[in-house]
Amino acid sequence: MDFEKKYIRNLDWLLILLLMCLGIFSFIGISGATATANYEWKQVIWYAFGFTILASVLLFDYNSFSNLAYVLYGIGMVLIIGVLFMPAKSGAHSWYQLGIVDFQPSELMKIFTIIAVARYISKKDEKEEPIDNLKAMFPIFLLIGVPLILILIQPDLGTSLVFTGIMFSMLLVAGVPMRYFAMLGIVGAIFISSLAYVFMFHKQFFFEHIMHEYQWMRIESWLKPEAYPKEGYQLMQSLTAIGSGQLLGKGINQGTQARNGWVPVGESDFVFTVIAEELGFIGSSILIFIYFFFIYRMVRIAMEAKDTFGMYVIAGVIGMYVFQIFENIGMTIQLMPITGIPLPFISYGGSSLVTNFFVMGIVLNIGMRRKKLMFE
């Protein structure tokens, strides 16, 4: 068997099959959310383009990304800074509007950050320098913190929070002592307690310098949507739609809440709501099971990676996807506050979907090169 066939043999075809299954759910959800826009067929085109990107990434040794890690990170930073000067879309400077397509650089910045942090940690491993002190962790905080803050400025709270999921997963796999996670938890608790104190006793200062009233209203409407008919409209409609799906759902394209426009952005942020209404508890549970298996396959690949760089990259990718999946599904059932985080491989969106396929190309690349091959 020749050189190329050995790599193809190591390709995780189950993971590719799972991506195809997610594509089917995406088509169902998007078609059910839009009666006339034909977004589902546009998504099919993006899927085809995404698989082309995935196949292209497989042609290169993933260690090429390690060599270019800081160059890619620098390119991402330039794009993130540049987008702040672009016209606002939906109240945020998050998009480059390129005519027929809009490009969101924060999507690429997530994987570029993962690659840069993975290179830093893997080089520490090569030198047998454990990351067990604040000095060693500082570059990681810097690599993750700078884009996080810039994305927060856009403002895009949802995407910026994804970087925290990336950081925790990579630090955990890197073997950072648990006392530092405890310290981060204590710092977070102190910060939240301080905000609560200011809100309770200095409300004017709170709303003038810390949080706008409309931002606080989002929290209030999340906790008590029925008390705020306008602000809690999305959540109430989502809960109604999911509940009406019951066990087996209303049937494909037979949903009423989303298809009649009562669930806003049902093709993207609230696509899980559409799936739950049309396919019911059984269908939405199957989707969640696919996601569990999807994460499991990546864990397997990470455990069998031939070097620590590949392992850390997948650790960051897993942290990214786990956070996004939990947040997106959680916000539709009032478990988490509403943010603009898309559901990976399901929500409509070109830059997000293509970036996800680029990421999966890297993951599969690591998996197919997991064993030392002759002449490698």
Side-chain angles (χ1 to χ4, degrees):
M1 186 177 292
D2 61 21
F3 185 75
E4 290 77 10
K5 287 184 179 179
K6 289 184 179 180
Y7 279 128
I8 297 300
R9 185 182 60 190
N10 283 338
L11 193 61
D12 194 324
W13 293 101
L14 275 176
L15 195 51
I16 294 176
L17 178 62
L18 292 173
L19 291 176
M20 293 178 178
C21 291
L22 291 174
I24 294 172
F25 274 95
S26 178
F27 187 89
I28 293 172
I30 294 172
S31 65
T34 54
T36 58
N38 292 324
Y39 282 131
E40 67 272 21
W41 294 109
K42 295 178 183 178
Q43 186 80 337
V44 170
I45 296 173
W46 282 117
Y47 249 87
F49 184 60
F51 270 111
T52 302
I53 295 294
L54 184 153
S56 300
V57 173
L58 296 179
L59 300 177
F60 303 92
D61 191 319
Y62 67 88
N63 281 297
S64 302
F65 294 105
S66 176
N67 298 331
L68 296 172
Y70 300 128
V71 174
L72 294 173
Y73 184 87
I75 293 172
M77 287 298 298
V78 171
L79 292 172
I80 289 292
I81 294 171
V83 81
L84 295 175
F85 300 94
M86 294 293 107
K89 178 182 178 181
S90 302
H93 300 271
S94 303
W95 301 83
Y96 286 101
Q97 299 178 39
L98 307 175
I100 60 174
V101 64
D102 294 337
F103 168 62
Q104 190 175 11
S106 58
E107 292 294 328
L108 270 181
M109 193 64 214
K110 288 184 289 189
I111 184 58
F112 288 168
T113 300
I114 290 172
I115 291 171
V117 173
R119 176 179 171 82
Y120 171 77
I121 301 175
S122 62
K123 290 300 180 183
K124 282 285 186 180
D125 285 349
E126 290 177 10
K127 298 176 182 178
E128 298 183 353
E129 298 176 0
I131 301 178
D132 57 359
N133 57 73
L134 293 176
K135 182 180 179 181
M137 284 189 283
F138 179 75
I140 299 176
F141 294 145
L142 191 65
L143 287 169
I144 294 176
V146 173
L148 186 155
I149 293 171
L150 290 173
I151 293 170
L152 197 59
I153 291 172
Q154 293 179 358
D156 187 350
L157 176 63
T159 302
S160 63
L161 288 175
V162 175
F163 282 80
T164 62
I166 293 171
M167 180 182 68
F168 278 105
S169 63
M170 297 187 77
L171 288 177
L172 184 65
V173 174
V176 172
M178 293 305 297
R179 65 178 181 273
Y180 289 107
F181 289 100
M183 288 172 57
L184 288 173
I186 292 172
V187 170
I190 293 173
F191 177 73
I192 293 174
S193 299
S194 300
L195 290 180
Y197 174 82
V198 175
F199 173 75
M200 292 175 64
F201 299 103
H202 304 281
K203 286 192 176 182
Q204 183 176 352
F205 179 86
F206 182 87
F207 288 122
E208 287 181 356
H209 301 283
I210 297 177
M211 183 179 290
H212 295 294
E213 289 195 41
Y214 77 89
Q215 292 174 318
W216 178 255
M217 190 59 66
R218 289 181 181 178
I219 298 176
E220 289 275 0
S221 62
W222 165 52
L223 297 173
K224 297 180 292 183
E226 67 282 351
Y228 302 92
K230 182 179 179 181
E231 293 81 4
Y233 176 81
Q234 279 183 309
L235 180 56
M236 290 298 295
Q237 291 297 330
S238 176
L239 293 173
T240 300
I242 292 173
S244 67
Q246 299 186 36
L247 184 64
L248 298 176
K250 298 176 180 177
I252 296 176
N253 289 338
Q254 298 303 310
T256 56
Q257 298 297 115
R259 201 161 182 80
N260 290 327
W262 293 330
V263 177
V265 289
E267 75 281 358
S268 55
D269 294 353
F270 283 83
V271 69
F272 181 81
T273 299
V274 182
I275 292 171
E277 182 185 18
E278 295 190 351
L279 303 182
F281 177 79
I282 298 297
S284 53
S285 295
I286 291 173
L287 174 59
I288 293 173
F289 173 77
I290 290 173
Y291 273 129
F292 270 113
F293 199 38
F294 173 74
I295 298 298
Y296 166 74
R297 296 305 302 181
M298 287 195 288
V299 171
R300 285 286 303 271
I301 293 174
M303 293 175 65
E304 298 174 356
K306 70 177 183 180
D307 54 34
T308 57
F309 172 73
M311 179 183 68
Y312 291 131
V313 166
I314 298 180
V317 171
I318 290 173
M320 177 180 74
Y321 282 139
V322 167
F323 185 91
Q324 289 185 202
I325 294 166
F326 182 79
E327 166 59 29
N328 182 278
I329 294 178
M331 76 180 188
T332 65
I333 57 176
Q334 205 180 355
L335 187 62
M336 298 291 287
I338 294 176
T339 62
I341 294 179
L343 189 58
F345 298 100
I346 303 292
S347 296
Y348 176 77
S351 60
S352 173
L353 186 61
V354 171
T355 302
N356 281 326
F357 272 103
F358 174 69
V359 170
M360 293 313 301
I362 297 175
V363 171
L364 289 166
N365 196 316
I366 294 169
M368 68 190 291
R369 289 174 167 83
R370 65 183 179 271
K371 295 179 181 179
K372 286 289 184 180
L373 302 179
M374 191 177 297
F375 309 120
E376 186 177 17

